[in-house]
Amino acid sequence: MEEDGGGGARHVERWEGYVDWRNRPATRGRHGGMAAASFVLVVEVLENLAFLATASNLVTYLMGSMGYSPSQSATAVTSFMGTAFLLALLGGFLSDAFLTTYTVYIASAFVELTGLVILTVQARTPSLMPPRCASPGAGGAACEPVSGAKKAVLLAGLYLTALGVGGIKGSLPSHGAEQFDERAPRGRKARSTFFNYFVFCLSCGALVAVTFAVWVEDNRGWEWGFGISSVAILLSVPLFAAGSSLYRNKLPTGSPLTTIAKVLAAAALARRRGGGGGGAQSSSNGAVIDRAPSPAGSADDMDEYCKSGDMEEISISDAASPAAEPSRELALLNRAVQCQPPRHGRRLACTVQEVEDVKVVLMVLPIFLSTIMLNCCLAQLSTFSVEQAATMDTRVGRLTVPPASLPVFPVTFIIVLAPVYDHIIVPFARRVTGTETGITHLQRIGTGLVMSVVAMAVAAAVEVKRKDVASRSGMLEDSGKPLPITFFWIAFQYLFLGSADLFTLAGLLEFFFSEAPPRMRSLATSLSWASLALGYYLSSVLVSVVNSATGRGGHRPWLQGASLNHYRLERFYWVMCVLSSINYLFFLFLAVRYKYRNAGVIK
């Protein structure tokens, strides 16, 4: 109860486990909701603009200003982007374990700003740059990559930026999603809308980055490009802080990794002691916690349980409902519920809630692994697809589109498709299926995986078309002139890959957030970004493996030659198509057997 201004009392319901930005209890009606999440959406536009304005054209900067070779530049950019996305796991971990998502975002934004300022200062200070090398055939100094203290400045700027990006990616999506009441259908629907528009806003920032920012970098200089990124991330901080009075911030609950390790250790110890195969679920006087075949609602947190009898009793404060038993899935972990004898101490005694939390984590990991191949396909958007388009006619009227701006196709498709999906497709699916979600998370992810298969088949067909034009025009040998075929042919594969990205990224973010235990949500949501990073790494590995396998016996490797016209790129795309098809079958096998953590199907 709180006192009102007239001395009377009014009841204020608090959000349990949440505080406001001043660490006071968060209350219903005052904190959370779409109004609070809207600040996150606006901030995401600026955050992704800052990141991609640097990353999308970075290979040009490293080659032109830092003396890197094309291969060195490609490796450096892959490492930078992969590190940034993998560090999202660190941001998610800190948000769950020690700090609020609010604090992690603010701190990460300033870390990224520091890195961008270092890059900006280096780009406009000749003494921090390597000597300019002569153009081919001209006299003068040979090209040498940056080294020594100058390279240290470059790496410090890049990896401080990557650290900041990782912290933001690991905290911002879950911070926005935490603003909604998952116990109410309206709140869950609004949360789903938030994730759709999160990807929409991410794409809006990317659109500005690959058009305006790339033009500035190519025509005005890289100090201006890094400056744009710095200003964008700097502006995001006061915009994010402007919503402080509306945010509800989830209190950290300690390291989720500790919980996982404790459950696994307890189960292993019980097995070594010869514990029963099913553990606590063998009792018949408790309610078995089961999972629903489709998501629609959020079940209340399960009560802590410890079977009485020959096991040490664990006191549970304020138990509000009957004791529950572990679910039947991954029954080997149920042994961890058995409280350990005194000689093992109380540390390994696990509650049903902890065991069920770890089960959820273990069951979503295969889903995470099945999305890496999709992100490997998406990596082609910034590699071979760009190289294909660079050999084609990139003129649009009097405008010549730079290769670094070609991702404008997928981000444009996402910007168009996201509102259509949220306002047309999902409401229609809800009416057809009679369920709250209309389309389940795994159905959405599966749709993205199917589109990636189609995209690789289309990419192979477009490459056949491109090489056929080159052959008929007598331009198989690199003449330095664009082929007489418009680069809009590339738009077909971008259409499918952009659609796959929308379905899968938004689906993954919502799936990991809603399925993960509350104490692990930021870390679980960060798996979406980790999948993207591993997809980039897998793409590089596949190129090496394909070249090694096809270059035996004196044959020329498929992905090697004087120009792209000498590559067997269409065969590589067919390999990707086959691998993506096999990966989809693996995902389908997992999806039909997956039981959602949230119970109930709401009509």
Side-chain angles (χ1 to χ4, degrees), residues 7 75 90 131 243 256 295 342 453 555:
T75 301
L90 175 61
V453 175
H555 296 90

Side-chain angles (χ1 to χ4, degrees), residues 235-430:
L235 288 176
S236 75
V237 176
L239 278 173
F240 181 79
S244 296
S245 62
L246 299 177
Y247 298 145
R248 61 172 198 162
N249 304 305
K250 183 172 68 71
L251 290 169
T253 55
S255 172
L257 300 182
T258 301
T259 301
I260 295 172
K262 183 175 77 168
V263 170
L264 295 178
L269 183 60
R271 179 181 178 86
R272 191 169 63 186
R273 291 191 301 113
Q281 91 278 11
S282 58
S283 176
S284 60
N285 57 6
V288 176
I289 299 171
D290 232 331
R291 295 183 175 82
S294 63
S298 177
D300 292 341
D301 287 343
M302 295 174 291
D303 299 304
E304 295 180 333
Y305 169 80
C306 182
K307 185 180 176 184
S308 61
D310 58 340
M311 298 176 292
E312 179 188 1
E313 183 178 352
I314 297 178
S315 63
I316 307 169
S317 62
D318 302 325
S321 57
E325 295 182 1
S327 61
R328 294 185 179 92
E329 291 110 351
L330 300 177
L332 289 176
L333 294 182
N334 292 348
R335 297 189 180 96
V337 177
Q338 297 176 352
C339 305
Q340 307 299 324
R343 68 176 181 274
H344 295 296
R346 299 173 63 92
R347 293 183 182 179
L348 289 181
C350 302
T351 65
V352 169
Q353 180 67 68
E354 290 173 331
V355 172
E356 293 302 308
D357 287 351
V358 173
K359 285 183 179 181
V360 171
V361 172
L362 295 180
M363 286 190 293
V364 301
L365 282 179
I367 302 294
F368 157 73
L369 294 175
S370 69
T371 62
I372 295 174
M373 188 64 209
L374 165 71
N375 288 308
C376 181
C377 295
L378 291 174
Q380 309 313 311
L381 293 177
S382 56
T383 53
F384 289 123
S385 292
V386 173
E387 293 184 35
Q388 282 178 286
T391 68
M392 303 163 81
D393 187 355
T394 61
R395 291 175 298 177
V396 181
R398 296 182 178 180
L399 176 67
T400 300
V401 179
S405 294
L406 291 176
V408 69
F409 286 117
V411 299
T412 301
F413 289 138
I414 291 174
I415 289 172
V416 172
L417 286 172
V420 171
Y421 176 83
D422 192 73
H423 297 292
I424 298 177
I425 297 177
V426 170
F428 176 76
R430 284 171 178 159

